[in-house]
Amino acid sequence: MNGSIAAERLSAISACSASEEGVTRLPWTPEHQAALREITRWMEDAGLTAELDAAGTLVGRSPNAAGKPVILMGSHQDSVPNGGHFDGIMGIALACLAAKRFNGHWDELPVGIEVLAFADEEGVRFPTALIGPRALAGTLDPAVFEMTDGQGVAMRAAMGAFGINPDDAMTLRRDPATIAGYLEAHIEQGPVLEAAKVPIGIVTAICGIARFTVAVTGEAGHAGTVPMKGRRDALVGAARLIGEINTRAVADTNLRATVGTISVKPGAVNAVPSVVDFTLEVRADDDARRDRFADDITAFAKETCSAAGLRVSITRTYEQRAVPSDEGLMVALAEATKETGHASLRLMSGATHDASAMADLCPVAMLFIPCRAGVSHRPDEYADAVSMGAAVDVLEQTIKRISIRYEA
Ligand code: HGY
Ligand code: MN
Ligand code: MN
């Protein structure tokens, strides 16, 4: 029942997309605005009051929350371009359905409930992310509001057009003493649960991320007249570096390194490349190991590029620390899962989440459900209604288990 309601709601909200193929819903866009109208309906159907905060988070709050410790749940409304129908938004839908289980008898619950629909977790439109959780945690850097998207639009202007004054986001910090914890339901975005035929994953830790821009500079020239010997071909230098990044990352099972974007100048078929810019993202469950990998690659780049007469610069542009889940919340999730008659297993998250930043505010834990073939960030991303229904049951039981700690 809840699973099929979630499936229907997620299918309907997928229409809030700038693309036909998959879902494209970036923050501070008409698609975001349309999605908030849908999510407001989900929240009100659960007996929550919905209100947009100054960081663009739609907050669904239970009527009994005043003066009580609050359990926060939620995830992100945004997607990657041509992304899937479940990443992020499913966590909001399942949280609303779990909250609805308490509608009509809120006063029996010693805790309040808030469902949070965060504006921007993917960090695709602007070179930053997680402003919603960071505003609540008091870790938001106001400099991000001056960052611009690919069209030169500053986040401040985009938020203003959305009806929000970003400066007010700096006043959203919550008192950690008022928060019982943050629970996020999400698709696994990997193959482990499906392969193990286990419906519920309990996340032990969320990986950390470091992102860099790399610029390799050589010398442009005529492809036909510049001899091969002595060329200062920036693309040959970059290709060597990218190959080495991959070789070293393959050798470390708990680390991922990805070159996701690259540009070549002058970018002509008959011209020796003079400048290559690419991005490097490094993820690991241990920040020190991640940084050692980046330092070693930087040393390798400087050595090999200078030997080839090339210049190279590597600039760190973004960082998220690796986050362990709260043991008490993981136990509550595991016990709740057992109570609902489902099997569960513990696993690490290679993807990052809003919980990564919420961990600076309060204890966090995540619940994964399988997604078909582990596919995500693609139009064919899929989670079935039975797994979603199981997740709602587990969230409801977990809320009950956590609230026992607050009974008078
Ligand atoms: O990049 C991530 O892991 C997340 O999907 N934003
Ligand atoms: Mn994602
Ligand atoms: Mn996500």
Side-chain angles (χ1 to χ4, degrees), residues 76 80 87 121-123 129 186 189 207 209 211 281 283 320 350-353 376-377:
H76 58 97
V80 295
D87 176 9
E121 186 276 337
E122 298 291 0
H186 204 286
Q189 299 178 297
C207 76
I209 294 185
R211 290 181 180 149
E281 182 190 84
R283 297 181 184 221
Q320 257 174 244
T352 58
H353 302 280
S376 181
H377 282 193

Side-chain angles (χ1 to χ4, degrees), residues 233-374:
D233 183 327
L235 188 48
V236 170
R240 180 135 185 247
L241 182 46
I242 294 167
E244 183 65 18
I245 287 167
N246 192 60
T247 305
R248 292 186 186 201
V250 164
D252 182 335
T253 44
N254 276 330
L255 182 136
R256 309 275 190 278
T258 309
V259 174
T261 66
I262 189 164
S263 68
V264 180
K265 289 195 190 85
V269 66
N270 57 355
V272 176
S274 54
V275 181
V276 172
D277 292 291
F278 63 84
T279 55
L280 168 61
E281 182 190 84
V282 184
R283 297 181 184 221
D285 56 352
D286 174 293
D287 294 344
R289 208 169 79 253
R290 177 201 70 196
D291 291 346
R292 257 196 319 280
F293 178 91
D295 293 345
D296 293 349
I297 279 296
T298 301
F300 173 85
K302 292 205 176 341
E303 194 189 317
T304 50
C305 283
S306 71
L310 302 170
R311 277 184 295 114
V312 64
S313 71
I314 301 183
T315 312
R316 184 183 289 239
T317 54
Y318 184 71
E319 183 173 357
Q320 257 174 244
R321 66 184 175 83
V323 165
S325 297
D326 175 77
E327 185 58 35
L329 291 181
M330 282 198 282
V331 168
L333 276 171
E335 287 169 351
T337 305
K338 217 159 35 189
E339 235 156 72
T340 53
H342 298 295
S344 67
L345 60 79
R346 287 189 170 202
L347 73 170
M348 193 203 119
S349 175
T352 58
H353 302 280
D354 292 296
S356 304
M358 288 298 283
D360 290 326
L361 169 62
C362 63
V364 302
M366 289 192 74
L367 176 163
F368 276 175
I369 68 169
C371 54
R372 189 173 50 204

Side-chain angles (χ1 to χ4, degrees), residues 1-92:
M1 178 56 178
N2 270 312
S4 43
I5 295 171
E8 281 154 29
R9 287 181 173 179
L10 292 172
S11 166
I13 204 168
S14 292
C16 306
S17 166
S19 66
E20 292 288 315
E21 165 138 20
V23 176
T24 302
R25 188 165 57 242
L26 304 188
W28 326 117
T29 60
E31 299 77 39
H32 179 188
Q33 200 72 271
L36 292 185
R37 286 191 289 275
E38 292 279 321
I39 299 167
T40 298
R41 277 195 284 277
W42 303 351
M43 290 177 169
E44 289 173 350
D45 172 64
L48 307 172
T49 52
E51 193 178 349
L52 190 66
D53 80 9
T57 303
L58 188 65
V59 181
R61 195 170 166 80
S62 62
N64 71 328
K68 287 183 177 171
V70 176
I71 295 176
L72 304 175
M73 298 188 286
S75 192
H76 58 97
Q77 68 78 35
D78 65 317
S79 75
V80 295
N82 303 105
H85 300 243
F86 297 84
D87 176 9
I89 194 71
M90 183 194 77
I92 300 165

Side-chain angles (χ1 to χ4, degrees), residues 129-154:
L130 302 170
I131 73 160
R134 287 181 167 151
L136 298 179
T139 56
L140 181 57
D141 176 355
V144 299
F145 299 132
E146 313 322 323
M147 288 184 172
T148 54
D149 65 10
Q151 282 66 44
V153 176

